[in-house]
Amino acid sequence: MDVVTFGETMVLFTPESTGLMRYAHTYTRKFGGSETNFAIGLARLGHSVGWISRVGNDELGKAMLSFVRGEGVDTSCVRLDPDAPTGLYFKEIRNASDVNVYYYRKGSAASRMTAADLDEAYLAQARYLFVSGITPALSESCREMVFEAIRMAKASGLTVVFDPNLRKKLWTEEQARETLLAIAAQSDIILPGLSEGTFLFGETDPVKLGERFLSLGAKIVVLKLGEKGAHYFTPEENQHIPGFHVEQMVDPVGAGDGFAAGFISGLLDGLSLSEAVKRANAVGAIVTMVNGDVEGLPERSDLKRFVESPGEEVMR
């Protein structure tokens, strides 16, 4: 196994019309969750990934499990919970730059995860553990699960990768800041967005933010800068890597997960940090051009064509 991750994936309903959701009458059903977006992104690039979670023992949960498994992600450590439902969320796309997400996840099966859902032997076979800042916000038991997973990973020599994935709707700012900083302090690689760095440290300068994250003990920090690309930092060096221009952004949700998948894929392939960040920028850009969290995640051939021939719309 290259990577193991864990967390909640939900059923996603998106109105077929744009504008206020109150006027929508028909919806498309999809699936989305930061950890499975990331896992599917890696699987499409040819890597082996495992996902640990709980879903409701209901039709939506079973459909989700079938979908994630069908995308090449190992789901052998996902449990069907007979006493709690699969979580839902709605994505309201008013326009490409104004997207609202509404969660219906309180009391969901995944929010009932505990450290007992972890299999230390399963984790030990991987090279990387990917942790999202969403999971500890779901419940106290999920928060405990995060720190136990990190403990297990470090005991087995895994590299811990952390994407803060700040979701202010899920907890108070004080809880979020305290917990996210505590996880970051135990992580080897941190992949924050600029706004997340500002939230955690009250700083807006990218270079100063990179230094603040490194001071927590991380070996690598990659600060996501949206369409401007990303800036990576190590104790020895730092460099800004420009992003890829996208003519028309359709849906920005999931771009950060694609970025993380592209970056870890690059490390797994032995690329230099600058080339791994370039791959991350490319995957993130591709994701924004398609409606849906995972629908735009590229396979290797798609990624190669995008990087080598940006702007080419027809494959001949």
Side-chain angles (χ1 to χ4, degrees):
M1 195 82 69
D2 292 318
V3 182
V4 168
T5 187
F6 61 99
E8 179 170 35
T9 290
M10 295 174 290
V11 184
L12 163 62
F13 290 98
T14 306
E16 293 190 355
S17 57
T18 55
L20 294 172
M21 199 167 66
R22 72 186 72 167
Y23 301 116
H25 299 285
T26 55
Y27 295 77
T28 301
R29 189 210 72 189
K30 300 178 181 179
F31 301 102
S34 178
E35 297 82 10
T36 49
N37 296 346
F38 166 79
I40 291 170
L42 276 174
R44 287 193 187 165
L45 293 174
H47 305 287
S48 58
V49 195
W51 173 52
I52 300 170
S53 190
R54 288 194 200 184
V55 301
N57 189 14
D58 48 41
E59 287 303 304
L60 292 175
K62 291 173 183 176
M64 178 197 300
L65 201 52
S66 178
F67 170 75
V68 176
R69 186 187 301 120
E71 288 290 337
V73 177
D74 182 77
T75 59
S76 60
C77 285
V78 178
R79 299 183 183 181
L80 291 173
D81 190 325
D83 301 315
T86 302
L88 311 177
Y89 72 111
F90 290 78
K91 185 190 295 183
E92 177 187 66
I93 303 178
R94 298 185 181 183
N95 57 63
S97 59
D98 187 3
V99 179
N100 293 316
V101 174
Y102 303 97
Y103 297 114
Y104 297 85
R105 69 199 307 178
K106 187 175 181 180
S108 68
S111 71
R112 292 154 52 96
M113 289 188 296
T114 72
D117 289 295
L118 298 169
D119 182 335
E120 190 160 9
Y122 185 78
L123 288 176
Q125 64 184 312
R127 296 171 59 186
Y128 291 85
L129 173 70
F130 179 78
V131 179
S132 163
I134 298 172
T135 305
L138 300 181
S139 66
E140 182 58 32
S141 65
C142 285
R143 180 183 180 280
E144 293 170 358
M145 180 187 186
V146 167
F147 287 101
E148 179 62 10
I150 293 173
R151 185 199 66 76
M152 289 180 178
K154 288 186 171 294
S156 296
L158 277 70
T159 297
V160 177
V161 184
F162 176 48
D163 186 337
N165 255 318
L166 176 63
R167 298 291 187 271
K168 291 184 179 180
K169 291 181 179 180
L170 298 181
W171 47 3
T172 68
E173 291 194 2
E174 182 180 358
Q175 290 172 322
R177 189 174 289 108
E178 178 184 356
T179 302
L180 297 179
L181 286 173
I183 297 171
Q186 297 188 44
S187 301
D188 301 299
I189 299 174
I190 309 176
L191 307 174
L194 180 60
S195 62
E196 291 166 340
T198 300
F199 171 80
L200 292 174
F201 295 112
E203 176 62 68
T204 58
D205 180 75
V207 174
K208 291 181 179 179
L209 281 174
E211 293 170 351
R212 292 294 297 272
F213 277 109
L214 283 177
S215 71
L216 297 176
K219 299 180 178 66
I220 301 171
V221 175
V222 185
L223 189 67
K224 294 171 283 189
L225 303 173
E227 62 183 14
K228 295 181 180 179
H231 199 131
Y232 77 82
F233 302 83
T234 72
E236 295 76 34
E237 61 172 333
N238 73 86
Q239 183 180 357
H240 173 255
I241 306 298
F244 289 82
H245 176 67
V246 173
E247 288 291 341
Q248 183 176 6
M249 183 175 67
V250 176
D251 182 2
V253 178
D257 306 323
F259 180 97
F263 181 67
I264 298 304
S265 169
L267 296 186
L268 287 166
D269 284 349
L271 299 183
S272 66
L273 280 179
S274 61
E275 286 300 311
V277 175
K278 180 180 178 181
R279 177 179 291 185
N281 285 339
V283 175
I286 293 170
V287 170
T288 68
M289 296 189 287
V290 179
N291 191 335
D293 286 19
V294 302
E295 284 71 13
L297 289 165
E299 296 182 348
R300 282 188 181 261
S301 58
D302 303 317
L303 180 62
K304 184 174 186 293
R305 181 164 61 93
F306 178 81
V307 171
E308 294 180 354
S309 305
E312 182 177 324
E313 298 179 356
V314 181
M315 184 160 47
R316 305 182 186 278

